[in-house]
Amino acid sequence: MWQMVYLFIAPEKVYRNFNYRKQTKSQFARDDPAFLVLLVGCLCGRIMENLKMYQMYKTLNCFFLLVTSIGFAWVLSLGFVQTILFTLYVVFVDCIFCGMIVATMLWLIANRYFRDRNSDFDMEWGYAFDVHLNAFFPPLILLHFIQLFFYHPLISRDWFVSTFIGNTIWLLALGYYIYITFLGYNVVPALKNTRIILVTLPLLCLFYVMTLIIGWNLSVSLMYYYHYRVL
């Protein structure tokens, strides 16, 4: 739980725990799937009964299940079955499948181009996937939770301020993802030149400005995409 909170307010503290794990267990990656299970719980509101922390997180995850399911059913006008299909799509495609692709690409890049040539260090793939999970949580909350409260009354309108607010939420979400990803690789001592990852931030800001100039509301496009892919 504390890791999820710190990913918003102080993501650097999360990776201090990864350094401690490296010193005590000789690996950066998490040795249990608890964070992934909790993240999936935030997406679909379910946690396996055999987790020791189930009672602690049950209320929180049921809350996310209720809010996100009702929220998207309301915003996208989805039925019950469509809401279930949408939730499964977000969990297994958006989060896990796409995350595996991103993690694999960055894992290969890190070991080939970022690794210190004088070191025999080989970053494990599991750590790259952990970095993705950490980076995925803030965009999840911003785009799949907070945004819902403003979509119908404001963001969906054909106003400049609507496009500005909707696209700004996207800017924050993707900015969080890039920055937390950078922190994840920057904390590994054997990796050099990881600041290259931050080069994508100016490109993101440029893209953000361009969307405002042409009046492209990213949030509305996202809602259309979600709606028609689950019909």
Side-chain angles (χ1 to χ4, degrees):
M1 175 64 70
W2 68 267
Q3 289 189 2
M4 290 183 170
V5 175
Y6 277 132
L7 284 173
F8 269 102
I9 62 176
E12 298 88 351
K13 293 185 178 181
V14 175
Y15 289 106
R16 293 177 188 172
N17 187 54
F18 281 79
N19 269 330
Y20 175 76
R21 185 182 298 111
K22 177 64 176 178
Q23 296 171 3
T24 57
K25 299 184 179 181
S26 299
Q27 68 178 43
F28 280 103
R30 295 182 176 97
D31 53 5
D32 64 80
F35 188 87
L36 175 59
V37 175
L38 290 175
L39 183 59
V40 171
C42 290
L43 289 164
C44 65
R46 293 182 181 176
I47 295 181
M48 296 176 62
E49 293 284 350
N50 61 345
L51 285 178
K52 294 181 180 179
M53 295 184 293
Y54 173 74
Q55 293 298 328
M56 181 184 302
Y57 297 111
K58 180 173 63 175
T59 302
L60 174 64
N61 290 306
C62 288
F63 170 76
F64 273 105
L65 168 64
L66 179 63
V67 172
T68 56
S69 297
I70 295 178
F72 270 101
W74 172 59
V75 172
L76 301 178
S77 300
L78 299 180
F80 176 77
V81 175
Q82 291 174 322
T83 301
I84 297 299
L85 292 176
F86 166 78
T87 303
L88 293 175
Y89 194 103
V90 172
V91 172
F92 292 104
V93 177
D94 288 354
C95 178
I96 297 179
F97 179 72
C98 292
M100 291 174 65
I101 294 176
V102 173
T104 300
M105 292 176 57
L106 290 177
W107 171 67
L108 292 172
I109 292 173
N111 281 324
R112 178 177 291 269
Y113 299 108
F114 292 165
R115 187 180 63 180
D116 189 344
R117 298 304 179 184
N118 298 322
S119 172
D120 58 354
F121 172 79
D122 186 17
M123 188 182 72
E124 59 265 29
W125 182 89
Y127 178 71
F129 189 68
D130 277 343
V131 171
H132 160 71
L133 293 180
N134 289 339
F136 186 81
F137 182 70
L140 167 68
I141 299 302
L142 288 170
L143 297 176
H144 288 243
F145 181 68
I146 295 177
Q147 180 180 228
L148 296 182
F149 293 99
F150 304 97
Y151 184 76
H152 269 313
L154 183 58
I155 295 177
S156 63
R157 305 293 182 178
D158 191 20
W159 305 329
F160 174 79
V161 67
S162 303
T163 302
F164 174 77
I165 293 176
N167 291 8
T168 299
I169 294 176
W170 270 88
L171 176 67
L172 292 174
L174 296 179
Y176 259 118
Y177 189 92
I178 293 171
Y179 180 63
I180 293 176
T181 298
F182 158 72
L183 291 178
Y185 290 91
N186 189 60
V187 77
V188 181
L191 299 182
K192 307 299 181 182
N193 301 319
T194 54
R195 293 184 181 274
I196 294 177
I197 297 174
L198 295 179
V199 172
T200 54
L201 284 177
L203 298 177
L204 175 63
C205 292
L206 178 61
F207 176 74
Y208 167 74
V209 172
M210 291 178 60
T211 60
L212 295 181
I213 293 175
I214 65 177
W216 179 15
N217 192 319
L218 296 176
S219 295
V220 172
S221 297
L222 173 72
M223 293 302 177
Y224 277 122
Y225 174 65
Y226 276 159
H227 185 272
Y228 288 108
R229 79 179 181 185
V230 297
L231 287 178

